[in-house]
Amino acid sequence: MNLQPNSQPEQTVAGTSNYSRAPRMAKEDRRDQLLTTALNAFADGGYHTTSMDDIAAAAGVSKPVLYQHFPGKRELYLALVEYTLVDLSAKLDHSLAASDVNRIRVESMIDTHFEFVEHQPQAHRLVFSADLLAFPEVADRLNNFYDGIAGIIASVLGPNVGIPHTQAAMLGRGLVQMVQTAAVYWAQHPESATRQEAQQQVFRLAWGGISILDEDWK
Amino acid sequence: MNLQPNSQPEQTVAGTSNYSRAPRMAKEDRRDQLLTTALNAFADGGYHTTSMDDIAAAAGVSKPVLYQHFPGKRELYLALVEYTLVDLSAKLDHSLAASDVNRIRVESMIDTHFEFVEHQPQAHRLVFSADLLAFPEVADRLNNFYDGIAGIIASVLGPNVGIPHTQAAMLGRGLVQMVQTAAVYWAQHPESATRQEAQQQVFRLAWGGISILDEDWK
DNA sequence: CCGACGTGGACATCAAGATCGGTATCCAGA
DNA sequence: TCTGGATACCGATCTTGATGTCCACGTCGG
């Protein structure tokens, strides 16, 4: 499945017949195309504003085709959320495992986040900006995701600075959100700085706070 | 209007008549009650999941009553968002104006945020967790709100540390989100620490980062 | 050339927003 | 205390839009 922003709904080509019809595709290909289209559509307008008709039209097929590949709108949406979170989690894990030095780790995770926001803005908006509260499962799933990261950060943070684990988790979660927000802000104001500059600022802010936690602890 | 979480929908008392009907109320009182009820309902289930029937039922009145007080669902929702943001903005402004010392200012704004999350959780969820993307106006309004705060932080931050204003705004926005997220986390894990302890941790993290920006600037 | 499968226009179904005509309650004044 | 009008309230209904399905049609492999 291609989650990059560049995939476009195909155009029906006028062939020998002037009858407009989507070209026949292999099942998997069609499914992938529908997923990508749905991702973009949802990210663009949110869950409720985006109808199945819209998605089908954007994909250049009719609605029944959509229902042949997915049992319903809800499942389609959940599949996309799940895919995105798994993807991002894997990348963050990878960033974390890339080094043993905490400073490098933090830098790497910040980089991963900026990368994600820059290169997969639809996926990001789908998961972090859309109406999550509507589906409790999604809210739980996202909570889960955040707790995972916060826990990791806490386990890195806590022992070093003598803070109770839950409080370290709280700070970790706040830090993640801080990075994410800053990344989005930068993506919306790309002219303000290069990505590298922006990341560096964010890192200094975060790392500075973390270091102080260590030094200042009484 | 009462935004506290304690207001409950009234129960129709079985009087001389067994015919269930909401007691007659003064227009303003009824309106306030509906607003409060709607706030709780929206915060609980999100915009789209909450129907006008739900709100009316929760308020113990019938649907037409709702439409006698508000032109539509959308307007009702927007009114609540606006009210909440104005309220919070005022409180933050007040916190900022309370002192000339930046350190105190930051502490005070953190305190205000924790206060908000703790005492008005519905209002907070309504504005910051619900489906904002659905209504562009809401997204814009919220953007506006954040930019206001970020701008203030930037103007405190920027001149002192020589960072371009836009980058300072990015960091300011990230910091706000960090505080907010931590506050929510604490509210969900109240047993992990007292509010004061939690706020102190958050402050140290934030202030540490800010200080480093100052010191470390090359 | 033909059967099977992918495709789509049209439609049933339903949930939710919005409304209308009638009913109950309160109050002011005689 | 009676009466009439004004105001708040409600059951029932209309309307819209979106989800999910049916049956005919065209296209491709054999």
Side-chain angles (χ1 to χ4, degrees), chain A residues 6 9 51 90 101 116 183 195:
Chain A
N6 52 355
S51 71
V101 185
F116 182 62
R195 177 175 144 189

Side-chain angles (χ1 to χ4, degrees), chain B residues 197-216:
Chain B
E197 286 169 349
Q199 285 185 211
Q200 197 182 351
Q201 298 288 8
V202 171
F203 170 75
R204 287 174 61 226
L205 181 63
W207 189 249
I210 294 173
S211 304
I212 287 291
L213 284 180
D214 199 357
E215 294 169 13
D216 202 24

Side-chain angles (χ1 to χ4, degrees), chain A residues 34-53:
Chain A
L34 292 178
L35 278 172
T36 306
T37 306
L39 173 67
N40 288 309
F42 280 137
D44 208 46
Y47 180 78
H48 292 280
T49 14
T50 306
S51 71
M52 291 297 258
D53 291 277

Side-chain angles (χ1 to χ4, degrees), chain A residues 21 51-53 63-64 67 72-73:
Chain A
R21 192 184 187 115
S51 71
M52 291 297 258
D53 291 277
K63 215 172 6 168
Y67 282 92
K73 184 183 183 182

